[in-house]
Amino acid sequence: MTDPHVADHELDVAGRPSTGLLSRINAPVARLGMYLSVTGLLVIVTIVFYQVFGRYVLNSSPTWTENLALVLILYVTLIGAAVGVRDAGHIGMDSLLVMLPDRAREKIELVIHVLVAGFGVAMAYNGWILGASVGTVKIPNLGLPEVIRYVPLIASGVLIVSFSIEHIIALLRGEEVVPSWN
């Protein structure tokens, strides 16, 4: 039985599911990344609630909550963005691609994944450089090294590269990367 929400053209161009080694590694990594991002989001909500409660009920706002929430936002958004690259949850111009012949569409998708991988390399490299430049500085009110702000940038860049390579291999094999939430 076919899914009524899937357009006919999607059924025509979708290949068999990718079962390669990289897909078997990346799917659970992406799932873990999303679980960690959702957990981080819940922790952020709890921290902000605690800060508001402290400020308006206890008249004593905790000083560490804002800085910790800002650090966690980096982890949540950057790891979540990397998972979005793997599961095709990012913004795209699919409406233009579906109008192209299969060969042209596949070539454009290949170029897109190569460019996204290049962006991931730039993220990881520059995150490493920036993190190294502030390695000895401490975050006010937390006492943690400033470098922890750059860890998610590096991790997200590495994940984006891995997920993009997975998509490239799947395209070349005529396969489809199945989202990690299936």
Side-chain angles (χ1 to χ4, degrees):
M1 182 170 191
T2 60
D3 186 356
H5 302 293
V6 176
D8 290 337
H9 62 74
E10 289 181 31
L11 292 174
D12 294 340
V13 297
R16 63 189 185 280
S18 179
T19 58
L21 175 64
L22 197 54
S23 290
R24 289 193 309 265
I25 293 170
N26 282 348
V29 168
R31 197 173 302 113
L32 176 64
M34 192 52 67
Y35 285 140
L36 291 175
S37 291
V38 169
T39 302
L41 187 59
L42 293 173
V43 171
I44 290 169
V45 169
T46 303
I47 289 170
V48 171
F49 176 79
Y50 178 63
Q51 181 180 19
V52 170
F53 180 80
R55 179 178 294 152
Y56 293 107
V57 175
L58 302 177
N59 286 330
S60 176
S61 182
T63 58
W64 54 270
T65 53
E66 184 176 351
N67 281 331
L68 183 58
L70 289 173
V71 169
L72 288 175
I73 284 172
L74 294 171
Y75 281 84
V76 167
T77 56
L78 288 168
I79 301 304
V83 172
V85 167
R86 183 185 188 278
D87 291 350
H90 52 81
I91 296 173
M93 299 298 289
D94 290 341
S95 58
L96 296 176
L97 283 178
V98 297
M99 291 191 271
L100 296 173
D102 286 347
R103 282 268 208 235
R105 181 188 42 76
E106 288 172 2
K107 287 181 182 181
I108 290 174
E109 285 180 359
L110 192 62
V111 168
I112 290 169
H113 289 299
V114 168
L115 291 174
V116 170
F119 182 74
V121 168
M123 284 176 62
Y125 174 76
N126 289 308
W128 183 271
I129 299 298
L130 290 169
S133 71
V134 295
T136 60
V137 178
K138 300 283 185 192
I139 298 175
N141 299 330
L142 290 179
L144 298 172
E146 187 75 33
V147 73
I148 68 165
R149 292 184 195 263
Y150 297 97
V151 170
L153 184 62
I154 297 165
S156 179
V158 169
L159 289 174
I160 286 173
V161 169
S162 179
F163 297 157
S164 295
I165 290 170
E166 177 185 8
H167 277 281
I168 291 168
I169 291 170
L171 272 172
L172 293 174
R173 291 181 174 173
E175 298 175 342
E176 180 184 358
V177 174
V178 178
S180 56
W181 290 101
N182 285 348

